[in-house]
Amino acid sequence: MEKEILEHGFNFNRRRFLSTMSLGIGGVALGSLLMPDLLNGKGLEEDGLAPGIPHFAPKAKRVIYMFQNGAPSQQELFDYKPKLREMLGQEIPPSVRGTQRLTGMTANQASFPLVGSFVDFKQYGQSQAWVSNLLPYTSKIVDDLCIVRSMYTEAINHDPALTFLQTGSQQGNRPSMGSWLSYGLGNENKNLPNFTVLLSRGVGNGQGVYSKLWSNGFLDSVHQGVQFSKGEDPVLYLRDPEGMDRHDRRDMLDNLSQLNELSYQEFGDPEITAKIKQYEMAYRMQTAVPEVMDLSKESDDIIKLYGPECLVPGTYAANCLLARKLSENGVRFVQLYHQGWDQHGNLPFEISKQAMDVDQASAALVTDLKQRGLLDETLVIWGGEFGRTSYTQGKLTADNYGRDHHPRCFTIWMAGGGIKPGIVYGETDELGYNIAKNPVHVHDFQATILHQLGLNHEKLIFKHLGRRYRLTDVSGKVVKDIIS
């Protein structure tokens, strides 16, 4: 063989041939580990859910996003502003207010008196982060958190602001962040959806949430978020119809798949194959979902950690515990929405109740992930769609006030997933009205999330109707200062 190779002009011997082949075999082995269905003729052709390969080494595998719908007031939670107390009742200086846009709810106010927070703040942990006394549990985990106090957005009303954070656009019909991650990374667990949604409601005014927030937009429908409900059937229409057993269900799906394949051969519509994949996913979920939703096997210590409400379906605490279970079972993106943060009036009473709703369970989720060794690979996010004004909306009294929408600055926190722990990033001015240092735009925030999962936000694109779309539209930069 060596003689034949040399006669044809190749400088190969047996040793070099075997050495070179070993590299190729190693590459195939690595590929089979990264994409288990790479060589078995299945995977993408079978269900379209074979894991994707990120652009570079990821620091996180999954995201749990605890969205506080309605916009929490940063002045009462994380952004301590003693100057506001000193200037109680005084008009906000024109130099501070500037020409910024106001909502229709306060634009016609004759006066804009400043109001300081009714709650006290203290510094906690090695980071010495300021946290209000409304969040006693969160204050205990500040050294696990990266608190970003300099977020900002252009949207000034709830619907466009919420849609902007979730989809990168103030208009609807765009893929949600969870859908983009599903499209870019594929699935870790073929028995569960890649993107799940859990809803809960607090005591305050509830801004609505709507299915466009977890829409797949123009991506294949397999990337759409699946909403779990608190009822007997966590996923609607998942059970077999009355009179049909698993064997009958399997036969029905096989026959339906054959009919759909014929339709696809005739019309070539990719949504036909997407429907086949969804039917198969639903079949597999019939076993996987009830097991994940079962909290009866959780230890007493875990129940105590999250609080007794974690055993009440549909509560924020129950959803936080379910988020941990879904995440540890390979769900890429778990989205929680907790409604009730829209405190235009009666803020002292309502925000106290609202904070009590979420404080223990939010901190418990971080603690639980950490003690299970999952926090390093799970990016946890907490925050709303914009902030609240430093001046009062409506009448200011000795014990009551409200705050209007304020897109120019607000606070979120992040934990795990390669984000630096125990830091406070960004600053607002002494009245908490404008950003003074390290602004972080919504697209910067989205770019950073994708980066932590190994995705370049400028390369995660999808061509639709002649245009290339991405989550961050045409802007956004990774906030490298908060990355470990």
Side-chain angles (χ1 to χ4, degrees):
M1 181 177 178
E2 291 180 15
K3 183 179 179 180
E4 291 177 359
I5 292 174
L6 290 172
E7 285 177 353
H8 285 82
F10 295 103
N11 187 20
F12 268 124
N13 56 31
R14 183 182 290 106
R15 179 178 299 171
R16 187 172 179 185
F17 173 78
L18 293 174
S19 175
T20 303
M21 282 297 294
S22 68
L23 295 176
I25 293 171
V28 172
L30 176 60
S32 68
L33 290 173
L34 292 172
M35 299 182 70
D37 295 315
L38 183 65
L39 303 175
N40 64 5
K42 298 180 181 180
L44 199 58
E45 292 181 358
E46 180 185 72
D47 57 14
L49 297 171
I53 298 179
H55 300 136
F56 46 84
K59 294 191 175 183
K61 294 181 179 179
R62 297 165 221 101
V63 176
I64 299 176
Y65 195 159
M66 299 179 284
F67 200 94
Q68 310 304 313
N69 189 30
S73 172
Q74 70 275 18
Q75 294 93 338
E76 273 68 38
L77 300 177
F78 296 105
D79 202 1
Y80 179 48
K81 295 299 171 188
K83 190 71 174 179
L84 282 178
R85 283 188 175 181
E86 294 177 22
M87 297 182 66
L88 177 65
Q90 298 181 37
E91 285 293 309
I92 184 170
S95 60
V96 173
R97 178 183 161 189
T99 58
Q100 294 177 23
R101 180 185 174 196
L102 305 180
T103 74
M105 290 170 284
T106 55
N108 295 321
Q109 281 189 189
S111 177
F112 295 88
L114 295 168
V115 55
S117 177
F118 73 98
V119 294
D120 293 324
F121 281 72
K122 290 183 180 179
Q123 290 177 288
Y124 295 91
Q126 293 182 352
S127 64
Q128 289 293 285
W130 289 98
V131 182
S132 89
N133 60 15
L134 293 179
L135 301 172
Y137 289 91
T138 303
S139 68
K140 296 176 183 178
I141 63 162
V142 290
D143 286 338
D144 294 315
L145 307 182
C146 168
I147 300 173
V148 181
R149 296 190 302 197
S150 53
M151 285 286 297
Y152 74 99
T153 181
E154 288 83 29
I156 199 170
N157 289 312
H158 294 287
D159 185 321
L162 179 52
T163 306
F164 190 37
L165 260 166
Q166 296 300 297
T167 71
S169 171
Q170 294 187 43
Q171 291 76 40
N173 302 317
R174 296 283 185 88
S176 174
M177 192 186 305
S179 297
W180 278 112
L181 287 177
S182 175
Y183 166 68
L185 295 175
N187 207 326
E188 282 193 290
N189 185 339
K190 294 183 180 180
N191 297 326
L192 289 170
N194 220 13
F195 173 20
T196 61
V197 180
L198 302 166
L199 309 181
S200 58
R201 181 181 289 274
V203 297
N205 296 320
Q207 286 295 324
V209 291
Y210 15 83
S211 59
K212 73 173 183 177
L213 297 173
W214 49 93
S215 167
N216 56 293
F218 42 69
L219 300 177
D220 287 345
S221 53
V222 292
H223 303 300
Q224 180 174 334
V226 175
Q227 180 185 345
F228 282 26
S229 70
K230 64 180 180 181
E232 185 178 352
D233 294 321
V235 180
L236 297 179
Y237 313 117
L238 194 61
R239 287 188 182 188
D240 292 328
E242 188 174 347
M244 177 179 283
D245 60 22
R246 294 281 287 173
H247 183 267
D248 293 335
R249 180 78 159 187
R250 183 67 267 167
D251 286 344
M252 183 272 287
L253 288 175
D254 290 341
N255 291 327
L256 183 60
S257 178
Q258 292 177 19
L259 291 173
N260 281 326
E261 285 289 353
L262 291 173
S263 296
Y264 179 72
Q265 291 172 17
E266 181 175 357
F267 301 106
D269 184 353
E271 274 301 301
I272 296 175
T273 58
K275 288 297 181 187
I276 297 173
K277 300 164 194 171
Q278 288 174 319
Y279 288 138
E280 292 297 329
M281 170 63 80
Y283 181 77
R284 296 192 296 268
M285 284 170 61
Q286 286 182 317
T287 300
V289 169
E291 182 177 343
V292 172
M293 300 292 285
D294 181 11
L295 302 180
S296 63
K297 297 179 183 179
E298 296 296 324
S299 69
D300 291 341
D301 288 342
I302 291 297
I303 302 305
K304 183 178 179 181
L305 180 65
Y306 285 86
E309 281 205 338
C310 74
L311 297 177
V312 181
T315 61
Y316 181 79
N319 287 349
C320 284
L321 180 51
L322 285 173
R324 186 220 81 203
K325 296 193 69 177
L326 288 164
S327 184
E328 71 180 341
N329 278 279
V331 175
R332 286 275 184 204
F333 196 93
V334 185
Q335 178 74 68
L336 280 67
Y337 289 104
H338 188 63
Q339 303 170 69
W341 289 96
D342 193 21
Q343 283 107 29
H344 290 273
N346 201 23
L347 183 145
F349 172 79
E350 290 187 5
I351 200 171
S352 298
K353 296 292 185 182
Q354 195 75 1
M356 190 180 299
D357 266 353
V358 306
D359 179 38
Q360 181 175 356
S362 299
L365 177 58
V366 174
T367 302
D368 195 7
L369 289 168
K370 186 177 181 180
Q371 66 190 12
R372 292 169 185 271
L374 295 172
L375 186 59
D376 287 344
E377 63 185 35
T378 308
L379 177 58
V380 183
I381 307 166
W382 189 103
E385 62 265 42
F386 43 59
R388 291 282 164 176
T389 55
S390 300
Y391 59 79
T392 185
Q393 176 178 343
K395 187 177 181 181
L396 172 62
T397 67
D399 59 358
N400 204 0
Y401 57 91
R403 297 189 190 275
D404 197 10
H405 309 167
H406 189 59
R408 297 303 302 165
C409 54
F410 62 105
T411 299
I412 66 163
W413 59 253
M414 308 169 79
I419 296 294
K420 286 181 182 177
I423 67 169
V424 177
Y425 186 78
E427 295 178 11
T428 56
D429 61 29
E430 62 180 359
L431 297 180
Y433 200 78
N434 295 297
I435 294 173
K437 183 179 179 182
N438 295 329
V440 179
H441 186 261
V442 167
H443 285 321
D444 302 334
F445 168 68
Q446 293 163 337
T448 305
I449 292 172
L450 295 181
H451 180 274
Q452 295 308 95
L453 283 108
L455 296 171
N456 183 332
H457 73 105
E458 294 181 338
K459 294 182 178 180
L460 184 64
I461 56 176
F462 189 90
K463 190 173 182 180
H464 175 65
L465 297 178
R467 179 189 162 184
R468 296 179 183 274
Y469 288 88
R470 68 188 208 212
L471 175 63
T472 54
D473 198 32
V474 295
S475 61
K477 61 183 184 298
V478 176
V479 187
K480 295 182 180 180
D481 290 342
I482 68 173
I483 295 174
S484 296

